[in-house]
Amino acid sequence: MNRPAYPLSAEVQARFAGLAECADKRIVADMAELIRNGTDRELNRVNVLEFAQRHGVNEEGVIAAFVHAARLGLFDMVWSLLCPGCGGVLSSNNTLKHVHQRDYHCALCATAYEPTLDQMVEVSFTVNPRVRRIAAHEPHKLPLWEYYRQAYWSSGIDVSDEEYDRLVPQFTLAALELPSGEQHTLTVELPQKFIIVFEPVTHTAHFIDVQGEPTTETQEMKVAFDHEHTPVPTTSMRPGPLRLTLQNRIETRALPSLFIADDPLHDMLVEKKRFLTATRLFTNQTFRDIYRTDTLDIDQRLKITSLTFLFTDLKGSTELYERVGDLVAYDMVKAHFHVLNDVIAAQTGAVVKTIGDAVMATFPTPDRGLAAALRMREAMHALNQSRDGEDLLLKIGLHEGPCLAVTLNDRLDYFGQSVNIAARVQGLAMSRSIFATKPVVEHPEAKHLLDAAGLTPVQQSAMLKGISEEFCVFEIP
């Protein structure tokens, strides 16, 4: 029997009406339907890329809609650090300001990871409790396996509810809820496998390497759970009975489990979902417009392993002002900015800043940056034709590489050699030419774009300011 739809209050309906004024109305209707008829699990840490696929709508439109919904208090933005190995949530907060530069340790994988915004930081959205209360608003009251599903593994692993329910019993020797300050002793029969004692609230683990001749004697072991993150120990034991004492030293319940590190556990963790990364969100113009001054602390420096930078500048803008006058030139330059902004947003990019007549923009991948550059060139040609002249000549440069996300001049910005190279490459461009570096033109999807357009990049070497050796660049005619 279908359960009745959750009623939306007059205040919530008014907020959705406001959301429909700044976001795609179809997407807004789907979001309201989710709140009315979605399960608690579906309303916790919504994966917006999955939402877009399920409803057959544009990803950028969905991202923008949920960003606006967070601003209106319909959903809360959740920033989670996901382990690249097991997909577990290593840290979760309502702001990126809590993410530090030090390594994060995954006890389940016994591995440390340097946090990177494009590989580890997921941005998801949970319904605001004033809109609808769900069980995950009080995670420490969730049933044990729901805590794993909704709080620890969240949207990081790609496994259906049916597969989850089927696989969990296959790799679990034991699991229990242990109240604060209490201890519990259980006896299990150890198979000749690698066993993981794991606790998701404290991110604590203890490995048991079970090997050798079986024994009938009861082996003893004690594991305590606290917030002290120490290296994961490994204890060797023989197949046979184990008397395991578990002690909870934290202020909330603990959820210790014994996992068999075998095929069923691997099968559940091997497939990862696409998720909205912090880097992808940073290249969404709606997010930058709303949150650009309140994303990172002034002294935060967070690593991005790959980001595509595009720089543009108008050639001869000073002469343009002298030739046509300040008023006409101003209108022309303003029209040029409008064209570039539309192109950048259409290619999933975002404007970082403008400096005089120059624009700095970022894109999640080289092919999106290159597509924007080619479209800009076409759009500027059309703009010039509409004015019966070639007054606006745009120089474009592209580069892809690692960088740091920082706060500069009270806004989200980027720092590093990749940024410098992109700016210097743009300085090589003349009139209609586009200059790009090897990481851009050799990107598989970017190569496909060039082939489809019948364009062959011309390789050349150039000296770039701040680079000691000649740099390989490509001119796209």
PDB file of all heavy atoms in Angstrom, residues 422-437:
ATOM      1  N   ALA A 422      48.433  29.311 -17.848  1.00  0.00           N
ATOM      2  CA  ALA A 422      47.256  29.636 -18.655  1.00  0.00           C
ATOM      3  C   ALA A 422      47.242  31.111 -19.033  1.00  0.00           C
ATOM      4  O   ALA A 422      46.934  31.473 -20.180  1.00  0.00           O
ATOM      5  CB  ALA A 422      45.987  29.264 -17.901  1.00  0.00           C
ATOM      6  N   ALA A 423      47.590  31.974 -18.081  1.00  0.00           N
ATOM      7  CA  ALA A 423      47.604  33.413 -18.367  1.00  0.00           C
ATOM      8  C   ALA A 423      48.686  33.755 -19.383  1.00  0.00           C
ATOM      9  O   ALA A 423      48.463  34.570 -20.296  1.00  0.00           O
ATOM     10  CB  ALA A 423      47.811  34.188 -17.070  1.00  0.00           C
ATOM     11  N   ARG A 424      49.862  33.125 -19.252  1.00  0.00           N
ATOM     12  CA  ARG A 424      50.965  33.405 -20.184  1.00  0.00           C
ATOM     13  C   ARG A 424      50.644  32.878 -21.588  1.00  0.00           C
ATOM     14  O   ARG A 424      50.989  33.507 -22.593  1.00  0.00           O
ATOM     15  CB  ARG A 424      52.259  32.761 -19.693  1.00  0.00           C
ATOM     16  CG  ARG A 424      52.689  33.165 -18.294  1.00  0.00           C
ATOM     17  CD  ARG A 424      52.858  34.637 -18.127  1.00  0.00           C
ATOM     18  NE  ARG A 424      53.322  34.971 -16.791  1.00  0.00           N
ATOM     19  CZ  ARG A 424      53.131  36.136 -16.188  1.00  0.00           C
ATOM     20  NH1 ARG A 424      52.467  37.096 -16.830  1.00  0.00           N
ATOM     21  NH2 ARG A 424      53.595  36.362 -14.980  1.00  0.00           N
ATOM     22  N   VAL A 425      49.991  31.725 -21.657  1.00  0.00           N
ATOM     23  CA  VAL A 425      49.630  31.152 -22.958  1.00  0.00           C
ATOM     24  C   VAL A 425      48.652  32.070 -23.684  1.00  0.00           C
ATOM     25  O   VAL A 425      48.737  32.269 -24.900  1.00  0.00           O
ATOM     26  CB  VAL A 425      49.047  29.732 -22.776  1.00  0.00           C
ATOM     27  CG1 VAL A 425      48.391  29.239 -24.062  1.00  0.00           C
ATOM     28  CG2 VAL A 425      50.143  28.768 -22.346  1.00  0.00           C
ATOM     29  N   GLN A 426      47.723  32.638 -22.935  1.00  0.00           N
ATOM     30  CA  GLN A 426      46.783  33.586 -23.560  1.00  0.00           C
ATOM     31  C   GLN A 426      47.534  34.762 -24.170  1.00  0.00           C
ATOM     32  O   GLN A 426      47.145  35.281 -25.225  1.00  0.00           O
ATOM     33  CB  GLN A 426      45.765  34.063 -22.520  1.00  0.00           C
ATOM     34  CG  GLN A 426      44.752  35.071 -23.024  1.00  0.00           C
ATOM     35  CD  GLN A 426      45.230  36.499 -22.861  1.00  0.00           C
ATOM     36  OE1 GLN A 426      45.763  36.864 -21.821  1.00  0.00           O
ATOM     37  NE2 GLN A 426      45.072  37.309 -23.890  1.00  0.00           N
ATOM     38  N   GLY A 427      48.628  35.184 -23.548  1.00  0.00           N
ATOM     39  CA  GLY A 427      49.401  36.305 -24.066  1.00  0.00           C
ATOM     40  C   GLY A 427      50.042  36.036 -25.411  1.00  0.00           C
ATOM     41  O   GLY A 427      50.436  36.973 -26.117  1.00  0.00           O
ATOM     42  N   LEU A 428      50.142  34.738 -25.793  1.00  0.00           N
ATOM     43  CA  LEU A 428      50.717  34.392 -27.094  1.00  0.00           C
ATOM     44  C   LEU A 428      49.714  34.557 -28.232  1.00  0.00           C
ATOM     45  O   LEU A 428      50.095  34.647 -29.395  1.00  0.00           O
ATOM     46  CB  LEU A 428      51.205  32.939 -27.087  1.00  0.00           C
ATOM     47  CG  LEU A 428      52.274  32.557 -26.058  1.00  0.00           C
ATOM     48  CD1 LEU A 428      52.505  31.052 -26.109  1.00  0.00           C
ATOM     49  CD2 LEU A 428      53.567  33.319 -26.317  1.00  0.00           C
ATOM     50  N   ALA A 429      48.428  34.549 -27.904  1.00  0.00           N
ATOM     51  CA  ALA A 429      47.392  34.520 -28.931  1.00  0.00           C
ATOM     52  C   ALA A 429      47.303  35.848 -29.669  1.00  0.00           C
ATOM     53  O   ALA A 429      47.525  36.916 -29.104  1.00  0.00           O
ATOM     54  CB  ALA A 429      46.047  34.177 -28.298  1.00  0.00           C
ATOM     55  N   MET A 430      46.946  35.741 -30.923  1.00  0.00           N
ATOM     56  CA  MET A 430      46.709  36.911 -31.769  1.00  0.00           C
ATOM     57  C   MET A 430      45.303  36.811 -32.343  1.00  0.00           C
ATOM     58  O   MET A 430      44.828  35.734 -32.668  1.00  0.00           O
ATOM     59  CB  MET A 430      47.719  36.974 -32.911  1.00  0.00           C
ATOM     60  CG  MET A 430      49.190  36.943 -32.464  1.00  0.00           C
ATOM     61  SD  MET A 430      49.652  38.382 -31.481  1.00  0.00           S
ATOM     62  CE  MET A 430      49.582  39.645 -32.762  1.00  0.00           C
ATOM     63  N   SER A 431      44.656  37.908 -32.474  1.00  0.00           N
ATOM     64  CA  SER A 431      43.323  38.025 -33.072  1.00  0.00           C
ATOM     65  C   SER A 431      42.457  36.787 -32.831  1.00  0.00           C
ATOM     66  O   SER A 431      42.054  36.521 -31.713  1.00  0.00           O
ATOM     67  CB  SER A 431      43.423  38.358 -34.560  1.00  0.00           C
ATOM     68  OG  SER A 431      44.134  37.364 -35.258  1.00  0.00           O
ATOM     69  N   ARG A 432      42.177  35.980 -33.889  1.00  0.00           N
ATOM     70  CA  ARG A 432      41.236  34.866 -33.784  1.00  0.00           C
ATOM     71  C   ARG A 432      41.886  33.562 -33.316  1.00  0.00           C
ATOM     72  O   ARG A 432      41.201  32.554 -33.148  1.00  0.00           O
ATOM     73  CB  ARG A 432      40.553  34.615 -35.139  1.00  0.00           C
ATOM     74  CG  ARG A 432      39.448  35.590 -35.452  1.00  0.00           C
ATOM     75  CD  ARG A 432      38.883  35.332 -36.838  1.00  0.00           C
ATOM     76  NE  ARG A 432      38.492  33.931 -37.050  1.00  0.00           N
ATOM     77  CZ  ARG A 432      37.344  33.401 -36.647  1.00  0.00           C
ATOM     78  NH1 ARG A 432      36.474  34.154 -35.978  1.00  0.00           N
ATOM     79  NH2 ARG A 432      37.065  32.142 -36.897  1.00  0.00           N
ATOM     80  N   SER A 433      43.165  33.541 -33.114  1.00  0.00           N
ATOM     81  CA  SER A 433      43.823  32.289 -32.748  1.00  0.00           C
ATOM     82  C   SER A 433      43.558  31.921 -31.293  1.00  0.00           C
ATOM     83  O   SER A 433      43.365  32.779 -30.437  1.00  0.00           O
ATOM     84  CB  SER A 433      45.328  32.379 -32.994  1.00  0.00           C
ATOM     85  OG  SER A 433      45.893  33.360 -32.163  1.00  0.00           O
ATOM     86  N   ILE A 434      43.542  30.610 -31.056  1.00  0.00           N
ATOM     87  CA  ILE A 434      43.425  30.078 -29.696  1.00  0.00           C
ATOM     88  C   ILE A 434      44.717  29.331 -29.405  1.00  0.00           C
ATOM     89  O   ILE A 434      45.168  28.519 -30.225  1.00  0.00           O
ATOM     90  CB  ILE A 434      42.225  29.116 -29.585  1.00  0.00           C
ATOM     91  CG1 ILE A 434      40.902  29.852 -29.872  1.00  0.00           C
ATOM     92  CG2 ILE A 434      42.180  28.462 -28.198  1.00  0.00           C
ATOM     93  CD1 ILE A 434      39.716  28.918 -30.021  1.00  0.00           C
ATOM     94  N   PHE A 435      45.321  29.603 -28.264  1.00  0.00           N
ATOM     95  CA  PHE A 435      46.516  28.875 -27.860  1.00  0.00           C
ATOM     96  C   PHE A 435      46.172  27.963 -26.678  1.00  0.00           C
ATOM     97  O   PHE A 435      45.492  28.387 -25.737  1.00  0.00           O
ATOM     98  CB  PHE A 435      47.646  29.833 -27.490  1.00  0.00           C
ATOM     99  CG  PHE A 435      48.499  30.244 -28.660  1.00  0.00           C
ATOM    100  CD1 PHE A 435      47.993  31.112 -29.628  1.00  0.00           C
ATOM    101  CD2 PHE A 435      49.779  29.744 -28.822  1.00  0.00           C
ATOM    102  CE1 PHE A 435      48.769  31.482 -30.711  1.00  0.00           C
ATOM    103  CE2 PHE A 435      50.556  30.104 -29.915  1.00  0.00           C
ATOM    104  CZ  PHE A 435      50.057  30.975 -30.864  1.00  0.00           C
ATOM    105  N   ALA A 436      46.641  26.725 -26.765  1.00  0.00           N
ATOM    106  CA  ALA A 436      46.374  25.745 -25.710  1.00  0.00           C
ATOM    107  C   ALA A 436      47.617  24.913 -25.479  1.00  0.00           C
ATOM    108  O   ALA A 436      48.488  24.796 -26.353  1.00  0.00           O
ATOM    109  CB  ALA A 436      45.199  24.850 -26.099  1.00  0.00           C
ATOM    110  N   THR A 437      47.694  24.307 -24.321  1.00  0.00           N
ATOM    111  CA  THR A 437      48.838  23.471 -23.968  1.00  0.00           C
ATOM    112  C   THR A 437      48.545  22.006 -24.283  1.00  0.00           C
ATOM    113  O   THR A 437      47.410  21.623 -24.594  1.00  0.00           O
ATOM    114  CB  THR A 437      49.184  23.627 -22.479  1.00  0.00           C
ATOM    115  OG1 THR A 437      48.033  23.242 -21.702  1.00  0.00           O
ATOM    116  CG2 THR A 437      49.571  25.059 -22.152  1.00  0.00           C
TER     117      THR A 437
END
